[in-house]
Amino acid sequence: MDTTAQPTTTAPRRAGRREWVGLAVLSLACLLYVMDLTVLHLAVPQLTEDLRPSSTQLLWIIDVYGFMVAAALVTMGTLGDRIGRRRLLLIGAAAFGAVSVLAAFSTTPEMLVVSRALLGIAGATVAPSTLSLIFAMFTDPKQRSLAVGVWISAFSAGSAIGPVLGGIVLEAFWWGAVFLLALPVMGVLLVVGPRILPEYRDPGAGRLDLLSVVMSIVDLLAVVGGLKELVQDGMSVLSVLLVLGGGVVGVGWWRRQRRLTDPMLDVGLFRIRAFRSALLVNFLAIFVMVGYFLFIGQYLQLVLGLSPLQAGLWSVPSAAGFVLGSQLGPRIVARFRASTVVAAGLGCAALGLGILTLVGVHDGLTVLVVASVVVSVGMGPVFGLTTEMVVGSAPEEKAGAASGVSETAAELGGALGIAMLGTVGAAIYRAGVATGLPAGLPPDAATAARDTLGGAVSVAAGLPGATADALLATARESFVTGLQLTSGAAASSPP
């Protein structure tokens, strides 16, 4: 009798009810994470009237959350691998809820800036922890693809629900109430999470190198800050120094990881072709998506004259298209190669951006909504599949770190998209306004009008009727020209 052991293959364990309920809870956390990026924009008028921040303080109130999220993502992903991904997520959820209360009842601009910074650090635990937990919960490839699609959809839903829900809350309550929206969701996560979410950590992880943590935070804060400074004020000594300084620190951080016995991030992941390629495509897709979306809210409110709530509602079709695309991706990839689906999605997005070049100053709402939906349907499967490729190509014990790298690349792609496409759009706007300002406009008013479309609308409110109409016509025409040209540039640049 032949007793030689025969090789056996074990089919991946299929997820059951517990895992799907866990996915729903994780998706709620992701939805809230994105809502906090968008909901504050609607509260700015009330907040400004109440706290009276300076222009610099107001920019920090708006931007510091995203800054700190970007800076802490890699650190949090690596920390989750060491102390446990569920534990980190629950710690972050508790901190997010507590700091949300602090932000809601802030009495000074400085207090709100600090609260928003702490919210960013707590929020940075969400994306890498949830994504790495999904990879631990869903080992069947088909189920995993579907779960990642749901995870991606939660982010899109948050970007749509944030403005709508925020507008409804601000109709009845003070500006701080938008932060209290976090409490029910984080409460559910803290109660249900320990019962249904698995724990996973890297059993071979060493100590976390604190110098690497500091270097990564300084690097990313400097680069993202420099890019935001670039889009806000144009090329300056400060923006160049920030980007170059962050780059130098980043190179030092990279070299340190190669020398450490227990690196914060295994830079050898970048030698994996699938990891490297998927990360690049994801980065460039985010670059295009966020860069063009910068213009949409301004067009809806400052060109078409819609209220924040109306603008939020007209953003829902785009978010729904993104959810649809995210859910179609896993089903289509069962019949076609992932690379083919990604290429088709990018082609669809390019078509949508091409349609956006047809938007005019008047009656452009239908064209804009159709174009945004086409872009979102195309980008949905791209984000889901490339994110799955990035994390799935890394060893299981490095999933948290890989998730952090993926999310950091997304943050940097978004910042770079805003900086580059925003700078191009701003230059086109300023050139158009400079040659078409009505005669007799006071110097201060002319400067404000040339700076931004919002400045032109504000200035026009204090001018006589005919002069105001002429200024608004010039400013809106220049802005739409910038929107058309940057959309065309984005359409020709998808990876």
Side-chain angles (χ1 to χ4, degrees):
M1 178 182 294
D2 185 357
T3 58
T4 303
Q6 297 297 317
T8 60
T9 57
T10 303
R13 180 183 61 84
R14 290 184 61 81
R17 180 180 178 181
R18 177 172 178 169
E19 285 78 14
W20 291 109
V21 173
L23 176 64
V25 174
L26 294 177
S27 297
L28 275 176
C30 294
L31 184 146
L32 182 67
Y33 160 83
V34 176
M35 278 179 54
D36 225 64
L37 283 168
T38 58
V39 73
L40 185 64
H41 290 80
L42 298 180
V44 166
Q46 292 185 25
L47 182 158
T48 303
E49 183 178 354
D50 186 20
L51 299 184
R52 300 192 178 279
S54 67
S55 58
T56 301
Q57 288 173 328
L58 183 59
L59 286 173
W60 274 108
I61 289 169
I62 294 172
D63 289 343
V64 74
Y65 177 82
F67 272 27
M68 297 310 297
V69 167
L73 277 168
V74 174
T75 297
M76 292 304 177
T78 305
L79 185 61
D81 287 338
R82 284 166 166 77
I83 71 170
R85 297 165 189 168
R86 184 184 67 186
R87 177 183 296 179
L88 180 65
L89 178 62
L90 296 178
I91 291 172
F96 199 98
V99 180
S100 292
V101 175
L102 184 66
F105 294 98
S106 294
T107 55
T108 65
E110 294 83 1
M111 182 177 176
L112 186 54
V113 169
V114 172
S115 299
R116 289 278 289 170
L118 294 175
L119 276 174
I121 295 173
T125 67
V126 173
S129 295
T130 54
L131 184 56
S132 54
L133 281 171
I134 286 172
F135 272 73
M137 292 159 59
F138 296 89
T139 57
D140 178 78
K142 291 183 179 180
Q143 289 187 321
R144 176 180 288 179
S145 294
L146 181 59
V148 171
V150 172
W151 181 81
I152 291 289
S153 298
F155 284 92
S156 180
S159 65
I161 293 173
V164 176
L165 191 57
I168 294 172
V169 167
L170 291 170
E171 290 287 333
F173 302 100
W174 91 112
W175 60 266
V178 298
F179 292 107
L180 300 182
L181 294 172
L183 298 184
V185 176
M186 291 309 178
V188 170
L189 181 57
L190 289 171
V191 172
V192 179
R195 293 176 170 82
I196 63 173
L197 297 178
E199 183 58 285
Y200 188 89
R201 64 174 61 88
D202 179 4
R207 296 177 58 187
L208 186 64
D209 181 55
L210 294 181
L211 179 58
S212 293
V213 170
V214 173
M215 291 177 70
S216 70
I217 291 175
V218 170
D219 167 31
L220 291 168
L221 276 179
V223 171
V224 176
L227 293 174
K228 286 184 176 289
E229 180 75 17
L230 181 68
V231 69
Q232 177 187 324
D233 299 323
M235 184 73 71
S236 66
V237 174
L238 177 59
S239 64
V240 172
L241 287 178
L242 284 172
V243 174
L244 291 179
V248 170
V249 175
V251 171
W253 176 87
W254 182 277
R255 290 180 175 176
R256 183 172 179 82
Q257 304 317 297
R258 297 179 66 179
R259 295 195 305 267
L260 289 173
T261 304
D262 297 308
M264 180 179 172
L265 174 68
D266 182 5
V267 295
L269 290 174
F270 289 88
R271 289 196 292 267
I272 303 173
R273 182 178 179 183
F275 179 92
R276 187 174 63 247
S277 301
L279 190 67
L280 178 61
V281 172
N282 189 276
F283 172 87
L284 294 175
I286 290 281
F287 171 94
V288 170
M289 187 92 173
V290 175
Y292 104 88
F293 199 75
L294 169 70
F295 298 91
I296 301 303
Q298 295 182 72
Y299 180 87
L300 291 172
Q301 295 184 63
L302 300 178
V303 176
L304 298 185
L306 302 181
S307 70
L309 180 57
Q310 290 173 322
L313 290 171
W314 280 112
S315 300
V316 171
S318 174
F322 196 91
V323 172
L324 176 63
S326 300
Q327 296 306 303
L328 284 177
R331 292 169 172 80
I332 298 174
V333 82
R335 298 186 177 183
F336 301 95
R337 294 176 57 187
S339 58
T340 302
V341 178
V342 168
L346 292 172
C348 181
L351 174 62
L353 290 166
I355 295 173
L356 198 60
T357 63
L358 304 178
V359 167
V361 176
H362 306 289
D363 303 322
L365 182 59
T366 300
V367 175
L368 181 137
V369 171
V370 170
S372 298
V373 169
V374 174
V375 172
S376 296
V377 170
M379 286 297 194
V382 172
F383 291 141
L385 293 175
T386 54
T387 299
E388 185 181 356
M389 290 176 190
V390 169
V391 183
S393 60
E396 185 178 7
E397 66 275 8
K398 302 295 182 183
S403 301
V405 172
S406 176
E407 290 304 307
T408 301
E411 290 289 337
L412 290 177
L416 191 58
I418 290 173
M420 294 188 66
L421 296 180
T423 299
V424 171
I428 295 169
Y429 169 81
R430 289 167 184 163
V433 171
T435 58
L437 285 175
L441 205 62
D444 290 346
T447 300
R450 281 194 298 266
D451 191 28
T452 63
L453 176 59
V457 172
S458 178
V459 166
L463 296 175
T467 305
D469 290 343
L471 173 60
L472 287 176
T474 297
R476 286 169 174 163
E477 184 69 39
S478 300
F479 178 84
V480 170
T481 300
L483 169 62
Q484 293 169 341
L485 294 178
T486 51
S487 297
S492 63
S493 64

